[in-house]
Amino acid sequence: DQQVKQNSPSLSVQEGRISILNCDYTNSMFDYFLWYKKYPAEGPTFLISISSIKDKNEDGRFTVFLNKSAKHLSLHIVPSQPGDSAVYFCAATSTDSWGKFQFGAGTQVVVTP
Amino acid sequence: DAGITQSPRHKVTETGTPVTLRCHQTENHRYMYWYRQDPGHGLRLIHYSYGVKDTDKGEVSDGYSVSRSKTEDFLLTLESATSSQTSVYFCAIRPGEIYEQYFGPGTRLTVT
């Protein structure tokens, strides 16, 4: 039973344009959400997070939006750069769960020149 | 750099043999996690630890055991490896005051 879903396995975007990655969750107990970026043959690296008390969090080119009523979050990358080509995972947790995360299956982003 | 190393980085083993993967951290964080990554599944939690000798199961713990006798080391053991355990294994740590986890470089395990 996958509680975190990334329904788009891949996304292709032109350099300089906006990348929008989507993530849906089913567990209403989740109250903390993160995005990770992963290059081949490396471990995932933390990108940005958001608590359920917020609906938006920005860090440079990366913005995460949370819509609790829809159980949906999205990651916006603007402008997209070639180095953003990677697999992006969203993850969710309940803050009283010892930090046990549920991860989505990932979205492969390819930024083209 | 979260100071996490994993060993070995690559391993090929035969079905039925025991395998132990090691995760080592240098910063004495309390929380440590083992995940496996498979296509179409993202990362799935195998076991986690919230202190020395304190461990618990994740969502895919069958066929795996763990031990944590020192803060800095978290071992994952496959008692009798099966082909379904062919995967990439990641260790992660979590500094206790935040929820973000930081991952090691991974171990690619192939069971033939």
Side-chain angles (χ1 to χ4, degrees):
Chain A
D1 176 27
Q2 204 153 9
Q3 300 181 55
V4 177
K5 294 182 181 177
Q6 295 176 255
N7 292 318
S8 298
S10 64
L11 173 69
S12 182
V13 64
Q14 273 191 313
E15 183 178 358
R17 305 296 290 267
I18 185 170
S19 295
I20 299 176
L21 291 78
N22 294 302
C23 180
D24 297 294
Y25 62 96
T26 58
N27 189 336
S28 58
M29 298 300 291
F30 290 150
D31 57 3
Y32 201 82
F33 306 87
L34 299 88
W35 285 93
Y36 283 86
K37 176 179 181 178
K38 186 183 180 305
Y39 293 120
E42 295 184 9
T45 55
F46 168 71
L47 204 53
I48 193 169
S49 63
I50 188 166
S51 164
S52 61
I53 62 173
K54 295 184 174 182
D55 53 19
K56 178 182 173 182
N57 189 26
E58 278 184 84
D59 185 359
R61 296 185 299 114
F62 302 93
T63 302
V64 57
F65 295 92
L66 176 62
N67 182 334
K68 291 184 289 294
S69 61
K71 294 191 178 66
H72 177 83
L73 65 155
S74 61
L75 174 69
H76 292 207
I77 307 172
V78 55
S80 299
Q81 299 175 353
D84 296 332
S85 295
V87 177
Y88 290 78
F89 293 101
C90 69
T93 188
S94 164
T95 50
D96 62 354
S97 70
W98 298 107
K100 293 187 291 182
F101 283 103
Q102 292 278 338
F103 281 81
T107 297
Q108 173 76 59
V109 173
V110 176
V111 180
T112 58
Chain B
D1 183 3
I4 309 167
T5 56
Q6 293 185 231
S7 58
R9 295 293 314 279
H10 300 272
K11 186 168 182 67
V12 180
T13 192
E14 292 185 350
T15 298
T17 59
V19 176
T20 295
L21 309 183
R22 180 182 184 237
C23 177
H24 178 80
Q25 59 150 327
T26 59
E27 300 186 15
N28 291 322
H29 294 304
R30 178 182 175 191
Y31 301 99
M32 299 185 76
Y33 306 81
W34 275 108
Y35 292 88
R36 58 179 288 174
Q37 186 201 359
D38 303 290
H41 290 278
L43 289 95
R44 291 180 292 174
L45 182 65
I46 306 172
H47 281 278
Y48 63 101
S49 170
Y50 43 96
V52 173
K53 298 192 190 317
D54 290 323
T55 65
D56 206 347
K57 297 177 180 179
E59 63 179 304
V60 289
S61 59
D62 287 349
Y64 301 95
S65 62
V66 290
S67 65
R68 193 168 178 202
S69 58
K70 298 185 289 185
T71 300
E72 60 265 36
D73 289 325
F74 192 29
L75 304 180
L76 176 71
T77 297
L78 291 66
E79 302 290 348
S80 177
T82 67
S83 59
S84 65
Q85 294 176 312
T86 292
S87 187
V88 181
Y89 291 85
F90 290 101
C91 173
I93 58 93
R94 176 168 79 93
E97 65 278 8
I98 61 174
Y99 292 99
E100 290 79 5
Q101 294 181 13
Y102 296 90
F103 287 81
T107 294
R108 181 172 292 277
L109 176 68
T110 302
V111 183
T112 61

